Amino acid sequence: MMGSHRYIRRSTAFPSRVVAILLLILVIAPSPADAEFNYEVEKRIVDRLTYYMSQAVDTNKIISNFRYSGGFANNLAAPDRDAYLVLDNSLPMPLIYYGLEDGSITGYYKGGTSSMGYYREPGNSGYDASDPLMGKHLRSCIDKNDGSPTECLLSPGDAYVECINDCELVLCPDEDSQRDCSVLEGTEETSECSAKQKWCPQYRITTHDDNVTRGFIPLTNYCHDIRGLFTQEPGKTVIGYTPSTYDLGAVVNPADGSSAVHKLGDCYHADGTTLVNRSLAWDYAYCGNSGEQCDTAFVGGYESNEYDPRYRPWYIDTKAGQKAEWLDPYPFFDLGLGITNAHPIYDIVDGKNVFAGVLAVDYRFEDISAFLIDSYGGTDTMVAIYEDKDPNYIIALSTGTAANSLVLTEDPTTPCPVDSGTDVPCDPVRVQMADLTGNEQDDVLAKAYEKHLEAGYPKELITVRSSSAVDADIYLSQSALYEQFGANLRWRVVIASPGERSESDAILKGHPLFPTMLVIGVVGFVICMVFFAIFYRKRHKRAVLYSDYRFTGAFLLGCAVFNCATLTLVGPNTNPLCMLRMWSFHVLLVIPIAFLLVKTWRMWRLVGTSNIQRKSISNAQAVAYALPMIGLQIVILLIISLTDPPLQTEETKISEGTLTQHVVCSHQTVALPVVEIIYEAGLVLTGCILSFQTRHMDPRFGESKQLIFSMYTWGLVGFSFLVVAAVAEITPNGASLLQGVGTFWVTVFSSAAFVIPRLIQVRRDDSERGSGPGRVSGWNSSVSRGGAPVSIMRSSNMR
């Protein structure tokens, strides 16, 4: 047996086990990435949209400047029709046209699978059908199906323009024109005020009744050739455009002079079999300003419509505003919904700026969607463009879903039948972003819109899930404001792209760490339970009995159960599992620490105080000291659970230009880590101080060395984890692995520190005394305090 006065010194060497844990931490901790995402996707889309929309503005400026510079001999009057058509044909915009105050309109629609021109002679509809001077207009209509002549007659309810006082000039309705310049007479601002005033012909929009038979001047749709001129020559009609670049001179066919842009064919009426063959000879305005006749005004015309630009929304709004701007979206005549860039033009008449008409470029919503589809249809990027103002009507979608739906004209609440054809009248109705439905991509864009709207359109990325499922696809969305200042154009652009789901947030089945974590937790539990079982079986041996086996056994059980917390670290980061992890780790951590601390404190009360006297601390009292620590931990966790529970949280991180979505368990505040660090570290620190005070106890009757080893192991491993977590960027899975390894380390080695020395002592005792239980009912011994022996009498209450 060892001497009863042995002096034990505490080693100051840094434990090699802590070094090993630190190395493990450094291995699994990734290097911090210092990359910054520059929102290139958003910038690229906005740049493309800016270029696309600016083409319309620039086109109108080019035509306006060309007119102002004398490029049109008649200032775009009817005789300039062909000159304008050639210019229009050279421009890449799909729908360019102009309307004048005399009622004329000329333009093109250049579609991917169709192409047509249109023209209306100047003049007012609503004329008396019996007026022989208007016969040239009355008999200029045709049946669109077979081209047979028909009369151009207004139906009841049709609108037409009626001059007031022979369409005399009055000040236009815009703010600058209505300003009273007389109050500025005699000042330098007088001339500036007058220069801003515009004059408009005065007329009203009248509705036709059936009292008088009235005719109208038709808008005629035409076939055209490769130069843009109206034609009906077989084989020379442009029936479509094939390229996206619209470079007319890129590849020219020497046989007919056509380019690769055009698709040529014949000019047919709507029946598809009757060739267009028109030749009306009259003194149309197109023929010249001197009343000469010609027979080419309606060559290539295959359809007639009642239409006057002066009562269309695009014209009325531009005349009212007297400025170049984008008009609010509206239904186009027979072309669905769209938006128009309108540019007013003027003539100088008797020193006055007289409003002459409107240059216009139309974008159908289908055209803008086609632009998005061409740019992003084959990519993972999804784009939605919609109006910034409520109720956020859709402009275009890269998903191909239409920005409007069709409803019955007679019943706007009923969708138009898909196979309605042309016999059932239907009207387009705009769709709000909040009502967007369709395919999965539309659903993602709708969710992205809702989140950005709710968040006030932040600059930061917002994560969108395709569904509420844990394994749902994730998308990273961003929003941008597209605006043309002073041009009545303010749109929102929402962009959604698939994000990479981080594989380092949760240890799921199939993950390489999944079996590792299970092995760590289960093996740690088993080893500690084995230690407990062996220790309990040897509880009657003198060496075990001296070690206060009840509290040592409670500590061993606590270590075993603490390893179960490692098993909760596998699985998805759901709200229930996030809560379970918090409770299991912190409660199961405090249980072994509480019993270890009470065991240490009990030794300190006996030998660590300056007042050496016989003390008796029953097991019931010791347990009573341990339970409040566990109870306080439960109270802390209850408060946190109610005020700041751990929740499944989505985070977006950007590293080296890659967007990654993380789903982690997190709190809204730092209350939990701060409180737990203070509380749990305080317990361990207290235990370290008390165990140091008991370092001189004789190892046969106390466990000062084991207490110091265990307390300092818990403290150093915990401290090392906190330091590395603070200075290194550790993935959630890395942190879970560290927690599991740390738990295994402190529980297994602390348990071993208490059990193995006692088992060795039991073996030695058995060897020295022979076989037998070696039961002990009481003992006397001494410990050394400052070199002086101190007697401690064993009490039946201390076992």
Side-chain angles (χ1 to χ4, degrees):
M1 182 176 289
M2 299 175 60
S4 61
H5 292 84
R6 183 175 179 182
Y7 187 82
I8 302 176
R9 295 184 180 271
R10 176 179 174 269
S11 173
T12 58
F14 194 85
S16 61
R17 301 172 184 84
V18 176
V19 175
I21 291 182
L22 286 175
L23 290 175
L24 175 64
I25 293 173
L26 295 176
V27 168
I28 68 174
S31 300
D34 191 21
E36 181 179 356
F37 181 65
N38 59 3
Y39 291 86
E40 182 63 28
V41 176
E42 172 193 329
K43 182 178 182 298
R44 184 167 62 249
I45 290 177
V46 172
D47 286 347
R48 288 187 181 182
L49 184 59
T50 299
Y51 171 76
Y52 181 72
M53 299 302 294
S54 296
Q55 290 184 81
V57 179
D58 295 340
T59 296
N60 277 335
K61 288 181 179 178
I62 290 171
I63 298 174
S64 177
N65 293 339
F66 189 73
R67 177 180 183 270
Y68 177 81
S69 302
F72 298 107
N74 301 282
N75 264 355
L76 279 181
D80 288 332
R81 185 190 78 175
D82 290 350
Y84 172 82
L85 291 175
V86 172
L87 176 61
D88 191 332
N89 183 65
S90 68
L91 298 171
M93 308 309 296
L95 194 53
I96 312 173
Y97 56 97
Y98 71 91
L100 300 179
E101 280 288 75
D102 62 9
S104 63
I105 182 172
T106 304
Y108 268 127
Y109 170 65
K110 300 186 281 284
T113 58
S114 63
S115 180
M116 69 175 184
Y118 47 91
Y119 168 72
R120 180 189 188 274
E121 279 276 295
N124 294 338
S125 296
Y127 55 83
D128 190 333
S130 61
D131 185 351
L133 296 178
M134 302 304 292
K136 60 182 178 181
H137 298 303
L138 181 67
R139 287 184 284 276
S140 61
C141 289
I142 55 171
D143 185 289
K144 67 178 182 179
N145 291 314
D146 58 13
S148 58
T150 61
E151 290 188 331
C152 304
L153 296 175
L154 289 174
S155 300
D158 288 344
Y160 64 92
V161 170
E162 185 177 41
C163 281
I164 300 176
N165 296 329
D166 200 23
C167 289
E168 67 173 344
L169 296 178
V170 295
L171 288 171
C172 294
D174 63 291
E175 183 178 349
D176 287 339
S177 298
Q178 291 297 316
R179 187 178 182 186
D180 185 3
C181 297
S182 62
V183 299
L184 302 174
E185 190 171 351
T187 66
E188 296 180 356
E189 299 180 11
T190 303
S191 59
E192 182 181 353
C193 179
S194 300
K196 291 182 178 181
Q197 288 184 322
K198 291 93 175 177
W199 297 79
C200 294
Q202 188 179 18
Y203 52 79
R204 68 173 67 93
I205 308 299
T206 302
T207 301
H208 171 58
D209 54 34
D210 55 1
N211 293 330
V212 178
T213 302
R214 299 185 181 276
F216 63 87
I217 299 175
L219 171 75
T220 303
N221 294 338
Y222 292 82
C223 298
H224 67 89
D225 62 17
I226 57 176
R227 297 171 299 166
L229 300 176
F230 298 155
T231 186
Q232 57 195 25
E233 184 178 354
K236 300 294 185 179
T237 297
V238 175
I239 58 176
Y241 291 87
T242 55
S244 58
T245 58
Y246 200 75
D247 186 359
L248 298 180
V251 181
V252 178
N253 186 340
D256 56 11
S258 63
S259 72
V261 171
H262 302 112
K263 182 179 180 181
L264 300 180
D266 297 332
C267 183
Y268 289 100
H269 287 288
D271 61 7
T273 58
T274 305
L275 288 170
V276 174
N277 183 20
R278 301 194 67 195
S279 178
L280 296 179
W282 220 295
D283 59 340
Y284 293 108
Y286 161 76
C287 301
N289 292 321
S290 303
E292 56 265 37
Q293 292 190 2
C294 65
D295 62 357
T296 55
F298 289 92
V299 167
Y302 61 85
E303 182 179 1
S304 303
N305 296 287
E306 193 285 305
Y307 184 97
D308 189 321
R310 293 170 292 180
Y311 58 74
R312 293 297 298 170
W314 61 273
Y315 196 95
I316 294 173
D317 291 345
T318 306
K319 183 176 181 179
Q322 291 296 315
K323 62 179 180 180
E325 65 178 358
W326 290 93
L327 305 178
D328 291 337
Y330 64 96
F332 288 173
F333 183 77
D334 202 31
L335 286 174
L337 289 169
I339 187 172
T340 297
N341 182 263
H343 189 105
I345 54 177
Y346 303 92
D347 292 326
I348 305 300
V349 179
D350 298 331
K352 297 178 180 179
N353 280 324
V354 177
F355 174 68
V358 178
L359 304 176
V361 176
D362 282 352
Y363 281 145
R364 299 185 310 161
F365 287 169
E366 293 180 11
D367 297 329
I368 303 177
S369 291
F371 155 73
L372 293 180
I373 294 172
D374 289 342
S375 300
Y376 305 103
T379 69
D380 292 331
T381 301
M382 296 169 285
V383 184
I385 303 175
Y386 56 92
E387 292 181 343
D388 181 54
K389 63 183 179 181
D390 289 336
N392 305 126
Y393 283 121
I394 297 173
I395 298 295
L397 300 165
S398 65
T399 61
T401 302
N404 61 273
S405 59
L406 293 176
V407 297
L408 295 178
T409 302
E410 296 181 353
D411 183 9
T413 62
T414 303
C416 192
V418 176
D419 58 348
S420 63
T422 58
D423 296 329
V424 179
C426 298
D427 294 326
V429 177
R430 303 190 66 186
V431 178
Q432 302 175 22
M433 276 297 297
D435 299 330
L436 175 61
T437 56
N439 52 44
E440 180 179 341
Q441 292 183 327
D442 289 330
D443 294 338
V444 170
L445 286 173
K447 290 182 174 70
Y449 154 76
E450 292 174 358
K451 285 197 171 185
H452 281 274
L453 179 65
E454 182 179 355
Y457 297 104
K459 186 65 177 176
E460 294 77 15
L461 296 170
I462 292 180
T463 303
V464 179
R465 303 175 71 90
S466 59
S467 70
S468 58
V470 175
D471 59 347
D473 293 332
I474 58 99
Y475 297 84
L476 301 173
S477 65
Q478 55 194 117
S479 62
L481 176 65
Y482 174 72
E483 183 175 17
Q484 289 187 7
F485 293 100
N488 191 36
L489 187 65
R490 186 179 173 89
W491 291 346
R492 289 286 177 180
V493 182
V494 166
I495 307 150
S497 301
E500 293 186 6
R501 183 186 299 279
S502 173
E503 296 183 358
S504 61
D505 297 335
I507 303 175
L508 304 175
K509 189 175 182 180
H511 192 281
L513 288 180
F514 188 84
T516 303
M517 296 298 292
L518 294 181
V519 169
I520 290 173
V522 171
V523 171
F525 174 80
V526 170
I527 291 176
C528 292
M529 286 301 296
V530 169
F531 281 149
F532 169 77
I534 296 174
F535 199 75
Y536 183 77
R537 288 182 60 188
K538 303 292 185 181
R539 67 187 183 280
H540 299 302
K541 298 290 185 178
R542 181 174 55 186
V544 175
L545 197 61
Y546 288 168
S547 70
D548 192 12
Y549 79 90
R550 289 184 177 86
F551 264 83
T552 302
F555 171 72
L556 295 176
L557 284 175
C559 288
V561 176
F562 185 33
N563 279 279
C564 295
T566 300
L567 302 179
T568 67
L569 299 177
V570 298
N573 294 323
T574 59
N575 288 338
L577 199 51
C578 290
M579 183 71 73
L580 176 62
R581 288 169 184 166
M582 180 187 74
W583 276 86
S584 63
F585 177 78
H586 292 288
V587 171
L588 299 182
L589 169 66
V590 167
I591 290 175
I593 290 179
F595 285 106
L596 183 61
L597 179 58
V598 170
K599 182 179 179 69
T600 305
W601 174 78
R602 191 177 189 183
M603 292 297 103
W604 176 81
R605 288 292 304 272
L606 292 174
V607 300
T609 62
S610 58
N611 247 343
I612 304 300
Q613 57 180 326
R614 181 174 177 177
K615 300 179 183 294
S616 176
I617 304 174
S618 67
N619 290 312
Q621 288 176 317
V623 171
Y625 292 138
L627 291 180
M629 300 182 215
I630 302 172
L632 180 57
Q633 181 73 296
I634 293 174
V635 171
I636 292 173
L637 295 179
L638 282 174
I639 294 174
I640 293 295
S641 298
L642 295 175
T643 59
D644 185 21
L647 299 175
Q648 179 192 69
T649 305
E650 296 179 0
E651 298 176 352
T652 300
K653 292 186 179 179
I654 303 164
S655 177
E656 299 179 356
T658 301
L659 305 175
T660 307
Q661 186 253 11
H662 298 263
V663 179
V664 298
C665 296
S666 67
H667 298 263
Q668 294 183 349
T669 69
V670 296
L672 178 69
V674 170
V675 172
E676 290 296 355
I677 288 175
I678 294 174
Y679 180 58
E680 294 168 354
L683 294 179
V684 175
L685 181 60
T686 302
C688 291
I689 295 173
L690 296 180
S691 65
F692 183 79
Q693 295 293 326
T694 64
R695 66 190 183 278
H696 301 303
M697 176 176 283
D698 190 315
R700 292 174 302 169
F701 310 112
E703 296 170 306
S704 59
K705 187 175 182 179
Q706 291 91 327
L707 291 175
I708 291 176
F709 176 85
S710 297
M711 276 298 182
Y712 278 71
T713 297
W714 284 77
L716 289 173
V717 171
F719 177 75
S720 301
F721 180 86
L722 292 176
V723 169
V724 175
V727 300
E729 186 178 344
I730 304 176
T731 65
N733 285 356
S736 297
L737 178 60
L738 280 179
Q739 180 179 322
V741 171
T743 300
F744 177 89
W745 198 283
V746 296
T747 56
V748 171
F749 282 93
S750 295
S751 298
F754 284 103
V755 175
I756 294 177
R758 290 301 170 183
L759 294 181
I760 294 175
Q761 186 62 43
V762 167
R763 185 180 183 86
R764 288 177 179 174
D765 290 347
D766 289 345
S767 297
E768 293 176 1
R769 297 181 179 181
S771 60
R775 299 176 182 269
V776 181
S777 60
W779 50 264
N780 292 318
S781 188
S782 63
V783 297
S784 173
R785 279 194 55 84
V790 178
S791 177
I792 303 176
M793 298 301 296
R794 181 182 181 276
S795 167
S796 60
N797 288 324
M798 179 180 175
R799 289 185 292 176

